[in-house]
Amino acid sequence: MLSIEDVSVGYGMGDVVHNLSFTVAQGEKLCIAGPNGCGKSTLIQALARLLPYKGRICLDGVEIKSIPRRKLAGEVALLTQIPALYFSFSVKHTVAMGRYPHVKGRLSGLSKEDWDAVDSCMEQMGIADIAERPITQISGGQLQRTLLARVLAQFPKVILLDEPMNHLDLTYQIELLEHLERWQRKENGVIVAVFHDLNLVRSFADRVLLLDNGHMAALDTCDRVLSGKEINRVFEMDVAAWMQSALRRWEK
Amino acid sequence: MNKRVRLGGMGAFCLLCVIILLLGMSLGSSGIGLNTTASVILEKLTGLQTGAAPDKAQAAIVWELRVPRALLAFLVGAALAVSGVITQSVLRNPLASPYTMGVSAGSSLSAALYMAVGVLLPVAGRLGLPFAGFVGGLVTILLVMLLASAMDKLLSVHTLILTGIVFSLFISAVLTVILVLFRENLQQVLLWQMGSFAMRGWTYPAVMLPFLLVGLVIALAFSKEMDILAFGEQAAMSVGVSTVSVKWILLLVSAFLAGAAVSLSGIIGFVDLIAPHMARKLFGPEHKVLIPMSALCGGALMVLSDLAARTVLPPLELPVGAVTALIGAPFFAGLFLRNHKRQGKGKAC
């Protein structure tokens, strides 16, 4: 479904991500892991076509550069960490912005079908009861669910996650993961995620792409990558031993 | 907000704006009453006479001076307010205004050059000075955007604001040099900069109206994009907004509106900043509502400011820019303090 062929991404002063090639199958959850500065977010931004890249990124065989941005947003959606908010839109209006890729006509508003889709996404996320509340007056968890509802309102095939759990407490993190897994099972969609926390990676991913200074260090099932030698080399520590010792301390 | 309540509020606000406009046309030093004003306007518009015919001199004062003056003030205020909404949305900064991008500095420089050099534009006639001011404002924003684009292809907010400020400072320095070189024009330039709607006649509002309508329609056509841009460039792009082209269009429209307003009335600050905030507070941040309501709010504020400018210290007339600054500066400070406190508590504007 999503194929990445010899992709390099940078910011003008040299590449940060180097010559990556891999594919993500329909219904798969792939997590990108690695230490700070290894190029995880850069890669996610290239997959969302927010950054220029070399090589080819194809969605169902079509190079995403050739897809108009508005159309692409109807196929691929991105959820990032909570942005700074300057204006207090209502929850419902914020979710309705996700229908932008599907709205025809510059001066026309949303159709009844669009509003039905908005209501349905709010129902799924459990935020229908706060639909009229300003987004500046809801909790971080409710806000991130609102932003996820906006992502779902795009009706994407692929959801990209760029550390959306940052600044959320544990309950909200678990809640968000459950919503995402429910969507993935229902739609058989693709999720490519960047999480800092390896525990989240372990509990969520089908496969893990481990990056080391922008190069692919490993790409395999979650268990193999997280307990393999490469992750210790990349993080310069015995990751599995540390996680096990943390678990033992917890059990005591 | 309930839809019916909001619609009712919008209707009531429209009515209030009409009343303010009528007050602006009625009140003044010559003591012409509201009734006389209303009957003159009615007679001129429909040919119908209500009661005794008004005195010819009074009719002339109302129709030739006050009505066009109040209309020009309203249109200029509306244009500045819409320009302010656009700038605040694109720059994701509730404290931004079209002047942040150098429009007023560019217009001032161009107008000062026009006055100093005394070039006549035969096609423009008595609109030569406003034409020069408009072109100056538009050229400045084009240069700001081209420079920002050369530095940062994505036209990120910080690049735009910094480039706008640097350009404004540079142009202000050039303006100072020109004023030193052409001292005999100093007073004329300063008076123009302070802003006024006096003695403009019907030509100026007639010129302003199409600018406002065109700007308003384009801004409304991009209201969805402005809503989405409030969440940042990345979020907007991932929802499908072509942010670079949208920013180009919107900032040029903002300059088009502000440039036209500044060129016809001089530099009048703060309305572009205050009106969007008031409208946002009353009717919410959705741009399809915010844009027209800000226009009304800006128009009403400008009419009231002009009214204050000519009635507070009779027979003296204060520059309207000074009145808006006297009201706007404390408002601006209060807003900044409130935002500061809210950010301290983790809440946004």
Side-chain angles (χ1 to χ4, degrees), chain A residues 84-86 93 100 106 108 136, chain B residues 221 224-225 227 347-349:
Chain A
L85 301 174
Y86 297 97
H93 189 72
Y100 179 76
R106 189 145 277 291
S108 57
T136 47
Chain B
K224 286 194 273 286
E225 284 83 355
D227 285 350
K347 291 278 180 190
C349 177

Side-chain angles (χ1 to χ4, degrees), chain A residues 33-73:
Chain A
N36 285 342
C38 71
K40 302 186 294 286
S41 290
T42 306
L43 177 59
I44 277 282
Q45 286 177 33
L47 295 179
R49 225 185 92 195
L50 302 184
L51 285 176
Y53 57 86
K54 288 172 268 179
R56 280 167 61 83
I57 299 175
C58 296
L59 177 68
D60 292 330
V62 182
E63 163 64 65
I64 61 169
K65 277 180 197 164
S66 67
I67 305 173
R69 184 168 292 287
R70 200 162 176 173
K71 193 171 174 224
L72 182 67

Side-chain angles (χ1 to χ4, degrees), chain B:
Chain B
M1 195 188 296
N2 182 304
K3 207 172 179 179
R4 273 189 188 173
V5 173
R6 191 162 76 166
L7 277 175
M10 285 161 69
F13 191 73
C14 289
L15 194 66
L16 180 68
C17 289
V18 173
I19 293 169
I20 289 172
L21 192 57
L22 281 173
L23 277 177
M25 292 169 177
S26 311
L27 301 179
S29 54
S30 55
I32 301 169
L34 194 62
N35 282 345
T36 314
T37 307
S39 65
V40 170
I41 294 171
L42 201 68
E43 189 191 332
K44 291 286 182 186
L45 291 179
T46 64
L48 292 173
Q49 258 193 11
T50 53
D55 176 53
K56 269 191 178 174
Q58 286 186 338
I61 288 173
V62 170
W63 191 249
E64 299 301 330
L65 295 177
R66 286 196 187 161
V67 173
R69 180 177 181 145
L71 279 178
L72 179 63
F74 192 86
L75 296 173
V76 164
L80 286 175
V82 175
S83 180
V85 170
I86 295 172
T87 319
Q88 288 173 10
S89 160
V90 172
L91 299 184
R92 288 185 76 211
N93 190 334
L95 302 178
S97 84
Y99 299 165
T100 314
M101 299 295 292
V103 176
S104 60
S107 290
S108 289
L109 177 64
S110 190
L113 274 172
Y114 180 85
M115 289 178 216
V117 179
V119 181
L120 289 175
L121 299 170
V123 186
R126 66 184 284 250
L127 291 172
L129 179 62
F131 180 76
F134 175 71
V135 170
L138 217 55
V139 167
T140 305
I141 200 111
L142 266 173
L143 291 174
V144 166
M145 297 215 37
L146 284 171
L147 184 63
S149 181
M151 290 189 290
D152 173 4
K153 281 199 169 56
L154 292 175
L155 282 178
S156 65
V157 166
H158 299 301
T159 313
L160 280 170
I161 292 179
L162 282 174
T163 315
I165 291 171
V166 166
F167 246 81
S168 290
L169 291 173
F170 177 74
I171 291 173
S172 298
V174 176
L175 180 64
T176 309
V177 172
I178 287 173
L179 291 179
V180 169
L181 289 175
F182 298 90
R183 268 177 226 171
E184 62 278 13
N185 299 100
L186 183 66
Q187 196 182 6
Q188 196 187 357
V189 174
L190 287 178
L191 275 174
W192 179 83
Q193 281 188 329
M194 280 192 249
S196 172
F197 300 111
M199 309 304 285
R200 297 293 205 263
W202 278 99
T203 318
Y204 278 48
V207 170
M208 188 65 230
L209 183 64
F211 277 92
L212 176 62
L213 291 179
V214 169
L216 206 55
V217 169
I218 299 176
L220 277 171
F222 283 87
S223 58
K224 286 194 273 286
E225 284 83 355
M226 281 193 262
D227 285 350
I228 298 168
L229 273 171
F231 287 86
E233 277 135 356
Q234 274 200 355
M237 283 164 86
S238 69
V239 176
V241 177
S242 302
T243 51
V244 175
S245 55
V246 166
K247 279 182 195 173
W248 263 99
I249 293 167
L250 286 173
L251 286 177
L252 285 177
V253 170
S254 168
F256 174 81
L257 284 165
V262 167
S263 64
L264 291 172
S265 62
I267 296 168
I268 303 170
F270 289 105
V271 170
D272 51 339
L273 187 71
I274 300 169
H277 281 284
M278 289 175 75
R280 210 175 274 125
K281 195 85 188 157
L282 290 169
F283 305 103
E286 275 179 60
H287 284 87
K288 71 175 179 191
V289 175
L290 179 64
I291 290 167
M293 297 322 284
S294 291
L296 288 176
C297 202
L301 270 176
M302 194 65 97
V303 171
L304 286 174
S305 300
D306 185 47
L307 192 60
R310 59 194 163 85
T311 54
V312 167
L313 294 172
L316 285 178
E317 184 171 321
L318 296 170
V320 67
V323 176
T324 57
L326 281 171
I327 302 166
F331 180 91
F332 187 87
L335 184 79
F336 185 76
L337 279 173
R338 206 192 72 180
N339 279 357
H340 194 67
K341 278 184 187 167
R342 280 196 168 193
Q343 276 162 11
K345 287 178 193 167
K347 291 278 180 190
C349 177

Side-chain angles (χ1 to χ4, degrees), chain A residues 135-146:
Chain A
I135 53 170
T136 47
Q137 290 172 22
I138 58 178
S139 69
Q142 288 172 323
L143 179 56
Q144 197 56 303
R145 273 190 283 156
T146 303

